[in-house]
């Protein structure tokens, strides 16, 4: 049984502090997935988090591709094969340093100013996309004895206004559940003033061990995300 308190996750009723690592299956040759999963396991990672990047799977409206390096089901099955849990990040907007934050070009044209909101046109496309992911991952959820313990909705979401903010995250969760994602954990990114509905999702935080975006050629200081923090104090 997986649950959560205000301070930590639980497994079978006791504190559970798993290590989650990131690997984006559609950005890597599928023939090398298994070896990379084994490297993660050897490094102490217990949960493999992965973006399901919309533009990689439906570049052309209505034409879905779940083959080859886009085969999310095979990737999750490989995680299960090696005793690794899985955590799909289904967006629909993922950022991920990918074009349009992962939204296909045709979605931007069709929904115009309605993306990342409760705009009916946008949500109709999201519902179809979530349904496709749900079909691909059917039978691999935690409740089925599979490795998928949760999903992440959206990413770095700070929008406010009509049809946006926490109300949008609630709607995305509803659509995900309609697509079959009945999982123990639903999460969103918690940093940078993210907006989310309390009690519906868990805000999570991650960090980079380096800063690939930094243009300095000098040695960088240690990342603050690896410090222990207390009110008004920081311990390295």
């Amino acid at each position: 049984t997986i649950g959560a308190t205000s301070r930590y996750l639980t497994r079978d009723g006791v504190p559970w502090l798993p290590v989650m690592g990131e690997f984006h299956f559609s950005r890597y040759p599928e023939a090398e997935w298994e070896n990379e999963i084994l490297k993660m396991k050897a490094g102490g990672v217990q949960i493999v988090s992965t973006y399901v990047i919309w533009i990689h799977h439906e570049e052309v409206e209505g034409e879905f591709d779940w083959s080859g390096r886009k085969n999310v089901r095979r990737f999750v099955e490989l995680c299960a094969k090696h005793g690794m849990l899985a955590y799909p990040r289904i967006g629909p907007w993922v950022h991920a340093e990918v074009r349009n934050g992962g939204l296909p070009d045709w979605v931007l044209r069709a929904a115009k100013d309605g993306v990342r909101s409760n705009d009916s046109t946008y949500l109709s496309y999201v519902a179809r996309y979530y349904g496709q992911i749900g079909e691909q991952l059917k039978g691999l959820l935690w409740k089925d004895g599979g490795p998928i313990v949760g999903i992440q909705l959206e990413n770095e979401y700070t929008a406010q206004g009509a049809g946006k903010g926490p109300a949008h995250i609630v709607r995305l969760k509803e659509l995900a559940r309609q697509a079959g994602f009945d999982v123990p954990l639903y999460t969103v990114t918690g940093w940078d003033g993210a907006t989310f509905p309390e009690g519906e999702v868990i805000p999570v935080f991650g960090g980079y061990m380096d800063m690939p975006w930094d243009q300095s050629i000098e040695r960088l200081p240690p990342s603050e995300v690896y410090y222990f923090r207390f009110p008004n104090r920081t311990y390295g």
Side-chain angles (χ1 to χ4, degrees), residues 65-196:
D65 186 356
W66 301 100
S67 63
R69 70 164 62 196
K70 302 176 184 181
N71 191 338
V72 63
R73 183 176 186 85
R74 179 169 179 268
F75 180 75
V76 172
E77 288 175 338
L78 284 174
C79 291
K81 175 182 175 181
H82 297 290
M84 299 284 273
L85 300 177
Y87 212 100
R89 304 173 72 182
I90 64 174
W93 194 89
V94 297
H95 191 349
E97 288 71 43
V98 68
R99 181 179 175 87
N100 308 329
L103 299 181
D105 292 353
W106 63 264
V107 170
L108 297 182
R109 291 193 297 268
K112 298 180 181 177
D113 296 329
V115 297
R116 305 185 78 188
S117 78
N118 286 347
D119 173 82
S120 60
T121 300
Y122 176 64
L123 290 180
S124 69
Y125 296 132
V126 172
R128 184 178 66 182
Y129 178 56
Y130 277 6
Q132 281 277 324
I133 304 173
E135 283 296 314
Q136 294 298 316
L137 299 178
K138 185 176 292 185
L140 295 176
L141 305 183
W142 183 251
K143 68 174 186 177
D144 305 314
I148 298 175
V149 293
I151 58 169
Q152 180 177 301
L153 304 167
E154 252 284 343
N155 191 17
E156 300 180 352
Y157 188 69
T158 60
Q160 297 281 4
K164 300 181 179 180
H168 181 52
I169 301 300
V170 167
R171 188 68 184 118
L172 291 180
K173 181 181 177 182
E174 291 172 350
L175 293 178
R177 290 180 63 83
Q178 290 170 16
F181 285 104
D182 179 8
V183 290
L185 304 172
Y186 299 87
T187 58
V188 294
T189 308
W191 58 64
D192 286 344
T195 61
F196 57 89

Side-chain angles (χ1 to χ4, degrees), residues 18-59:
V19 177
M20 180 185 287
E22 192 85 3
F23 185 89
H24 305 154
F25 65 95
S26 62
R27 287 171 150 168
Y28 213 75
E30 67 272 23
E32 300 179 34
W33 286 348
E34 191 163 20
N35 193 43
E36 298 306 310
I37 290 170
L38 288 170
K39 288 179 184 178
M40 295 177 78
K41 183 174 183 177
V45 173
Q46 299 159 278
I47 306 176
V48 181
S49 171
T50 189
Y51 285 126
V52 185
I53 301 173
W54 193 352
I55 196 172
H56 289 182
H57 300 286
E58 194 186 7
E59 186 173 358

